């Protein structure tokens, strides 16, 4: 064997050693990525575990391979079957498909600054749960959220934001007030990020709509909160009472 072939062999072994753990992590997720498979075949807990696996791969700088090609697009043209609904912030630093290692057609995403819920967002969630059979809703805030920070400025400094921005912040202000009352000395923005998620969770779990309440009562739908860390990429999932 000449020197070139030896070098190629060594390089192949090194590449395999690096790739093998990622392939092992990706295999369960890829196996389930059938665009024709009904999301109802996944339990809420299984859907959440898929998000956990994808985020772990993202954080380790070994993102899961995703299908973005022509074949995938054509398959999805016939219909969608997402396995999770993501209610998250519009912040460009928090792209949900990248954060969770997902490809086309896997996440039903609702994005608005401050990850709040209005009638349009609620209707979108009801559609995905009722008509697409999605078993999991994740409401995700993130570190140093600009919308939450602006709402904190309204509370602390009586800052005025003109136009639609001021109206957009109104649903976040109760969370800021609750966070400040609970811990006056804490980091108000970060505490408010979690409290804002908690209040959205409470709304979806308890008063949002009969359609969602029925699915939750039957064990077919789970609604959880999350916080994304901008610095390390980690998503911290939590229940409403754990915020």
């Amino acid at each position: 064997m000449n020197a070139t072939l030896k070098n190629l062999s060594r390089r192949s072994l090194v590449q395999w050693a690096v790739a093998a753990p990622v392939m092992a992590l990706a295999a369960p997720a890829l196996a389930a990525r059938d665009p024709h498979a009904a999301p109802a075949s996944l339990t809420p807990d299984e859907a959440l575990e898929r998000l956990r696996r994808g985020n772990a791969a993202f954080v380790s700088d070994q993102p899961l391979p995703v299908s973005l090609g022509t074949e995938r697009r054509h398959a999805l043209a016939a219909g969608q079957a997402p396995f999770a609904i993501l209610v998250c912030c519009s912040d460009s630093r928090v792209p949900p498909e990248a954060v969770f290692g997902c490809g086309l057609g896997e996440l039903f995403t609702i994005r608005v600054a401050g990850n709040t819920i209005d009638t349009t967002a609620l209707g979108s969630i009801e559609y995905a749960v009722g008509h697409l059979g999605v078993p999991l809703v994740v409401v995700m805030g993130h570190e140093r959220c600009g919308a939450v920070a602006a709402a904190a400025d309204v509370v602390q400094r009586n800052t005025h934001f003109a136009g639609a921005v001021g109206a957009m912040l109104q649903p976040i202000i109760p969370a800021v007030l609750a966070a400040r009352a609970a811990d006056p000395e804490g980091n108000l923005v970060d505490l408010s990020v979690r409290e804002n998620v908690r209040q959205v969770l409470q709304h979806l779990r308890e008063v949002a709509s009969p359609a969602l309440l029925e699915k939750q009562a039957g064990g077919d739908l789970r609604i959880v909160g999350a916080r994304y860390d901008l610095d390390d990429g980690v998503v911290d999932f939590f229940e409403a009472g754990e915020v």
Side-chain angles (χ1 to χ4, degrees):
M1 184 181 293
N2 61 38
T4 300
L5 289 177
K6 286 181 179 178
N7 288 335
L8 286 173
S9 298
R10 293 193 192 98
R11 188 179 307 139
S12 297
L13 287 172
V14 171
Q15 290 174 339
W16 172 254
V18 171
V22 179
M23 293 173 66
L25 181 65
L30 291 176
R33 283 179 181 164
D34 177 0
H36 302 295
S41 63
L42 285 180
T43 68
D45 289 346
E46 289 169 341
L48 182 58
E49 180 56 29
R50 285 181 65 180
L51 293 181
R52 290 185 189 276
R53 287 201 307 265
N55 181 242
F58 173 74
V59 170
S60 65
D61 292 330
Q62 297 178 330
L64 301 180
V66 296
S67 179
L68 302 173
T70 301
E71 183 178 356
R72 178 65 171 164
R73 292 197 303 273
H74 287 174
L76 287 169
Q80 61 173 320
F83 72 89
I85 300 165
L86 261 293
V87 179
C88 54
C89 187
S90 301
D91 195 300
S92 63
R93 300 167 294 178
V94 192
E97 283 79 9
V99 168
F100 293 112
C102 292
L104 293 176
E106 294 190 293
L107 298 181
F108 192 92
T109 306
I110 300 162
R111 301 188 68 176
V112 61
N115 45 271
T116 55
I117 296 289
D118 60 9
T119 302
T120 301
L122 181 58
S124 299
I125 294 170
E126 288 184 359
Y127 170 78
V129 170
H131 294 272
L132 302 179
V134 182
L136 176 69
V137 178
V138 177
V139 180
M140 185 171 74
H142 68 92
E143 182 183 27
R144 296 191 289 273
C145 177
V148 175
D153 280 344
V154 172
V155 170
Q156 289 185 301
R157 302 177 180 85
N158 200 29
T159 303
H160 173 72
F161 292 90
V165 173
M168 178 192 72
L169 299 177
Q170 288 302 310
I172 307 173
I173 289 176
V176 176
L177 292 170
R180 185 175 67 173
D183 187 356
E185 303 302 321
N187 182 323
L188 182 59
V189 172
D190 200 51
L191 291 171
S192 299
V193 164
R194 288 181 175 270
E195 178 61 25
N196 185 45
V197 169
R198 190 196 69 78
Q199 292 194 9
V200 174
L201 285 182
Q202 184 177 14
H203 180 65
L204 291 176
R205 285 177 162 180
E206 299 177 7
V207 298
S209 69
L212 298 185
L213 298 178
E214 181 179 349
K215 288 284 188 179
Q216 292 176 79
D220 298 318
L221 176 67
R222 185 175 177 185
I223 302 176
V224 302
R227 174 192 177 275
Y228 175 71
D229 192 291
L230 292 175
D231 297 308
D232 58 26
V234 172
V235 175
D236 173 30
F237 293 96
F238 50 82
E239 303 292 340
E242 299 172 348
V243 178

